[in-house]
Amino acid sequence: MFLCSWSLVCMNMPGSDEGDLKVLWRKLSLTGLGILCPEINFELATGQWIWARRCKKQFNALKDERDRITTGGAHQQRDGVKATEVTLTEKRWNMKMAFFADMGGFRLLSKDGMSFPLDGKQLYYLVTHGHISEPDFDSRMIQDKNKVDALLRTITLCQISYFMVNVVGRWAQDLAVTTAELTTVSYVLCSIPTAIAWWNKPADVRMPEIIKMDKTIQDVLDADRDSKPEWIWTPLDYVNRKEWWWSLVWHCYMNFLWNLHIRFGSRSKPIDRIPDSWQRELEREHLYFLLIVSTACFSVLFVGWNYDYPTPTERILWRAACLTMMIELYVLLVIAEAAFVYNKLKNYWQSRRHRPTVNDSSTAERQSSILVHPRLPLSKRWQDFMVRVDAILEHGRNISPAPGANKDLRVHLRFIIPMWVLGIVYCLGRCYILLEDLIELRSLPVSAYQTVDWQRYWPHVGS
């Protein structure tokens, strides 16, 4: 299980002030997250692959449009900018280059001295709007920075695949398969697609490429006439940041882990690196793909439904843990569908009628004064207590790094509390699965210590 999590983790570019110990702690934290919830690493890898593929298509489409204009003399525009006015290189993008851009491989240094990492979409925005030229780099430069090659990843996949073949061989020869082996198989089923999604992502890259811009950040913002919300991570949040239901839930979980000094992101402003756990927005079909893979992983655990456990209580707890995690998976599916439907209805009604703007400060004041009613005859001590309770609830509702900085990160407690319950119950179920894998070792059948007789199938193998 540790091999599946540690060897396949591909972190984003570290911050400029991060030393070896901080990077090691980040990788250990991400590995621990993969052990506790392997579906999260698979979801992160899938989202990063989708965004990298989109980045590659955007840059290559821009180059194709530039070539058509150059050869045919047609007058076309893309994203409001003439393709002939955009400075592009001759190299076509591939997935390795797109991953490098999306993981913070390019760091912007503006004229006013502000510096922060860019992802692929922000880089594309700056290039197409003429603020910077496309960086001149290729796969060879990235491969020179990469610490993990295809051979090492192939060996890792072969190792975990052999483990699955060995378990199948034990079943075929009626040998005992322990719960620890079942759990490992479920991790392997999640690790293989994770490794495929991260196959082209550079690993352990430490030094980004610096892009110097001869404009200030304010010049970039002024050039775009659209209104821009208050930013939290970088001034270019309006280009690529779009909070969706799972990212809001994840922010809530990450704030709790941050208080435990388990930190996947940066809280500097602007951020010094792109968080490893950044939840990229996924479409409905992508979520269904995640559902299919996660269902397959959980289904393996149900093989141990009728195992002879040391005590009946352990059998009941194993069944309860398996059922709980499987049910929660489909509860999340229902929530996802409800979120998609809600967003469609919200956009429809907003387009049908105009809602008058409300002063943000007055709205926040009314929402943060739920518990303290001015007409209630309360004592001074009781009012102070209620004010403190209301401040705690407000801190739970606003999950942004700086409370009150972004209204998009303010979530109702009636949504946060059920998601916290689901998260806690899932962690309890997963922890018991891992605990049972250890305590079952005290009482194993004799066949659990026997190895697979491969000579039964290949007589020429072995002596």
Side-chain angles (χ1 to χ4, degrees), residues 363-380:
T363 303
E365 182 179 355
R366 290 197 306 270
Q367 291 176 341
S368 63
S369 303
I370 298 175
L371 298 178
V372 184
H373 199 286
R375 297 181 181 178
L376 295 179
L378 303 176
S379 63
K380 183 66 169 60

Side-chain angles (χ1 to χ4, degrees), residues 81-96:
V81 179
K82 296 179 181 179
T84 53
E85 297 176 355
V86 179
T87 305
L88 301 174
T89 63
E90 297 299 328
K91 301 181 181 68
R92 295 187 63 82
W93 280 53
N94 53 33
M95 287 297 293
K96 192 180 294 292

